[in-house]
Amino acid sequence: MAEFYAVLTGSTVGTDLADKTFYGFSLSPQSGKAGVNVIANSSAPIVFPDPNNPQATDYRQFVITDRTLTFQVDARGHLILSLY
């Protein structure tokens, strides 16, 4: 992911991610419930999925950004993402 982030921002220094917020999107294989984990300010370790050894509990997608993401569900059940 750091390599992907570097392409988007032109950043190549590993510590450039230190002041960003991590949003990890997961899906429980048992219940089918979707979730979003928000990790900021080193509040918890971030464990990236291993592409060579995927696990059912891995993040399905993730975003690292310095912007605030908010989520809501509209009347039709669609997830709406707002970027601030």
Side-chain angles (χ1 to χ4, degrees), residues 20-60:
K20 309 297 185 273
T21 301
F22 173 88
Y23 296 84
F25 301 89
S26 59
L27 180 65
S28 170
Q30 292 82 18
S31 67
K33 291 183 179 180
V36 178
N37 295 330
V38 180
I39 302 173
N41 301 325
S42 302
S43 59
I46 298 170
V47 180
F48 292 103
D50 181 353
N52 297 319
N53 186 22
Q55 303 294 313
T57 56
D58 284 348
Y59 293 115
R60 298 299 177 109

Side-chain angles (χ1 to χ4, degrees), residues 2-13 16:
E3 292 82 9
F4 177 70
Y5 181 83
V7 170
L8 291 178
T9 63
S11 169
T12 56
V13 179
D16 285 346

Side-chain angles (χ1 to χ4, degrees), residues 51-73:
N52 297 319
N53 186 22
Q55 303 294 313
T57 56
D58 284 348
Y59 293 115
R60 298 299 177 109
Q61 294 292 326
F62 52 91
V63 176
I64 298 174
T65 182
D66 59 353
R67 314 250 330 251
T68 301
L69 305 180
T70 60
F71 304 90
Q72 65 186 91
V73 178

